Amino acid sequence: MEALLDNAGPLLQGLLTTLWIAAVSGVGALVLGVLVAAARVSPVPVLRGVAFGYVQLFLNVPLLALLVLFVFALPDVGLLMPLTTTVVVVLVVYEAAYVAEAVRSGVNTVPLGQAEAARALGLTFLQSLRLVVLPQAVRAVVQPLGNVLIALVMNTALAAAVGVVELTSATNKVNLVEAQPIPIFAGAGVLYMLVALTIGLLSGVVERRVAIVR
Amino acid sequence: MAAMITVSAVNKYFGDLHVLRDIDLEIAPREVVVVVGPSGSGKSTLCRCLNRLETIDSGHIEIDGRPLPEEGSELARLRSEVGMVFQSFNLFGHRTVLENLVMAPVAVRKVPKAVARDRALELLDRVGLAGKADALPAQLSGGQQQRAAIARALAMEPKVMLFDEPTSALDPELVSGVLDVMADLAAEGMTMVVVTHEMGFARRVADRVVFMDAGEVVEQSTPAEFFAGARTERARSFLSKVLAH
């Protein structure tokens, strides 16, 4: 316990970095994911195909492989971004695939009549998607989106592998000095759990508030 | 006078099923046409073809002298002038009744929000839902939802209103409220195509009854003629079934 308290500073600094990466990537993944889902249900075959390929690509490549690729390979072709930015970009494009799948399953819960009514009123496809279909689809998948965000927080730990000092990396550094792995890693685990539980709780509250009664 | 709706030689198939067979129909401005017939006769499909929610396989449909365009902004513009009321109401579940009425005028017609709102409140008052503006659709009865859906269509100030079995999903005691709103609309001179099983409404409000069976328009006449003595055996058999109870 003492080892934890003595090193509260660097650990909390790591937690802040984790939360910052997760928050920025989370917002980015939600936005990009909704756009990809919209493309997947669009009437334009090319868009549908591109979005399908996008989702398949990122669902089927390990996140660590993507991180290593972006961090070590892209500078080789002249694309050099700050380390944390690179990690955020990778997390955004990776988690967006999961967000897109969740939102697409939400689109399937919206009764066909809703889109028909929108079209019958003269709304264009984009308008009916934006005003009628997606708002209802997202409301139906708040909890699954919460789960994607929780997974995103856990996935930020992989940033340690490419040299970002977030919570896992900070914990590891502290342990290298203190050599008390059980309390130190357990402490970090509790922090991760608190973040996950908070997201779970919040998504439950949001879900109840925005649920659509039919 | 030029027809408001012209349907000529329209055919439509669902797979092998020939659901519309050489349909010819002209509907004049301010005319109220009630389409009746057994289920599966193609009357709902015909109604849905009129604003291209269903596509046709051959033939020609014109609304107010303009052929139905391909899917796209041109079609969206035309649909905004053709109101449609569905059997299952299809009010937007995530928006209040008022927001349901305001959405399309603002998004499609670029009407200022305040103007759309005032007009929506007027329409809600007219269909007897003055107090329900801020309710969600799920908080309304079926009859109230359908009246709100009619108001939503009217908010676009359409030239034509299509009703696709508007009372079929309603409890019997809620039907008359919806039919009253429709009768008022007809009295004001709205051009209407009404697919329904409500023979009383057809008799009272229609200018013309179109009887369909097996994808064909079998006969059409004034309600007085149709209900007094349908010309075809198929129509007589249909009427004896629906009027028996």
Side-chain angles (χ1 to χ4, degrees):
Chain A
M1 199 62 190
E2 221 182 295
L4 272 180
L5 290 178
D6 287 349
N7 296 289
L11 287 179
L12 288 180
Q13 191 58 47
L15 177 65
L16 280 182
T17 306
T18 290
L19 290 178
W20 188 83
I21 294 176
V24 176
S25 326
V27 171
L30 286 175
V31 172
L32 182 61
V34 167
L35 291 176
V36 173
R40 279 210 77 177
V41 299
S42 85
V44 184
V46 178
L47 273 182
R48 278 206 307 273
V50 169
F52 175 79
Y54 178 92
V55 169
Q56 291 307 317
L57 175 68
F58 288 107
L59 248 42
N60 293 308
V61 176
L63 179 57
L64 186 56
L66 289 172
L67 281 170
V68 170
L69 179 76
F70 272 65
V71 171
F72 298 112
L74 290 191
D76 228 34
V77 292
L79 205 66
L80 190 60
M81 290 181 287
L83 201 51
T84 312
T85 310
T86 312
V87 168
V88 166
V89 167
V90 173
L91 282 169
V92 167
V93 295
Y94 178 80
E95 299 291 346
Y98 290 86
V99 170
E101 282 300 88
V103 172
R104 190 171 67 98
S105 73
V107 169
N108 293 335
T109 70
V110 180
L112 195 60
Q114 295 284 308
E116 278 192 345
R119 287 159 68 204
L121 281 166
L123 271 64
T124 61
F125 176 79
L126 276 180
Q127 284 174 326
S128 67
L129 206 57
R130 185 166 57 83
L131 295 171
V132 176
V133 178
L134 285 178
Q136 299 190 52
V138 171
R139 277 171 167 81
V141 294
V142 170
Q143 202 68 265
L145 287 177
N147 292 342
V148 171
L149 292 181
I150 289 172
L152 166 64
V153 173
M154 302 305 135
N155 284 339
T156 57
L158 287 178
V162 292
V164 175
V165 188
E166 42 60 75
L167 181 54
T168 296
S169 172
T171 309
N172 196 32
K173 279 182 201 285
V174 168
N175 182 52
L176 287 178
V177 178
E178 301 281 346
Q180 291 191 46
I182 294 181
I184 290 173
F185 279 106
V190 168
L191 290 177
Y192 276 115
M193 252 172 79
L194 285 177
V195 175
L197 286 175
T198 307
I199 296 175
L201 214 66
L202 282 179
S203 57
V205 171
V206 172
E207 181 180 50
R208 273 189 297 282
R209 188 162 300 173
V210 302
I212 298 167
V213 186
R214 295 203 196 275
Chain B
M1 195 173 350
M4 180 62 84
I5 301 178
T6 310
V7 177
S8 45
V10 162
N11 281 280
K12 177 169 180 63
Y13 298 81
F14 284 131
D16 288 338
L17 196 65
H18 198 168
V19 282
L20 294 179
R21 296 167 186 264
D22 284 320
I23 305 284
D24 290 303
L25 201 59
E26 279 212 355
I27 295 163
R30 306 175 74 85
E31 193 180 12
V32 177
V33 171
V34 170
V35 184
V36 300
S39 36
S41 58
K43 54 194 192 306
S44 267
T45 305
L46 174 63
C47 185
R48 291 167 56 83
C49 285
L50 296 180
N51 65 353
R52 211 173 184 278
L53 283 183
E54 300 283 353
T55 53
I56 56 178
D57 293 311
S58 68
H60 195 70
I61 296 176
E62 280 181 15
I63 305 286
D64 202 15
R66 284 182 298 163
L68 277 185
E70 293 289 303
E71 198 71 46
S73 59
E74 201 52 39
L75 179 62
R77 198 164 314 134
L78 187 133
R79 279 179 178 144
S80 74
E81 295 171 358
V82 180
M84 180 148 197
V85 175
F86 299 86
Q87 181 175 348
S88 48
F89 330 132
N90 296 345
L91 289 172
F92 304 131
H94 63 308
R95 297 287 190 100
T96 64
V97 169
L98 184 67
E99 288 166 346
N100 262 275
L101 268 71
V102 169
M103 183 196 288
V106 171
V108 177
R109 292 271 163 74
K110 314 297 176 206
V111 175
K113 248 190 188 135
V115 176
R117 203 187 131 84
D118 288 348
R119 167 119 180 96
L121 289 170
E122 255 170 57
L123 282 166
L124 285 177
D125 189 37
R126 197 169 126 190
V127 299
L129 292 174
K132 299 292 185 186
D134 295 321
L136 286 166
Q139 295 166 323
L140 304 185
S141 73
Q144 290 172 329
Q145 287 193 48
Q146 193 60 299
R147 282 183 277 140
I150 293 173
R152 177 176 67 177
L154 292 175
M156 292 300 282
E157 303 182 326
K159 295 176 184 164
V160 186
M161 286 283 285
L162 309 175
F163 294 84
D164 184 7
E165 304 206 24
T167 58
S168 299
L170 294 178
D171 291 337
E173 75 271 21
L174 302 177
V175 168
S176 67
V178 171
L179 293 181
D180 288 347
V181 167
M182 291 166 58
D184 287 349
L185 200 54
E188 287 164 26
M190 176 63 77
T191 310
M192 289 165 57
V193 178
V194 184
V195 173
T196 186
H197 292 289
E198 298 294 334
M199 295 303 144
F201 178 84
R203 203 191 291 258
R204 238 170 350 111
V205 180
D207 295 313
R208 178 158 43 126
V209 175
V210 170
F211 173 71
M212 287 184 69
D213 188 22
E216 290 172 313
V217 171
V218 177
E219 65 173 278
Q220 37 183 323
S221 50
T222 64
E225 285 167 0
F226 183 73
F227 289 107
R231 288 188 297 270
T232 60
E233 177 50 38
R234 283 201 271 182
R236 280 195 295 273
S237 147
F238 170 75
L239 280 175
S240 73
K241 280 177 205 143
V242 296
L243 297 177
H245 56 85

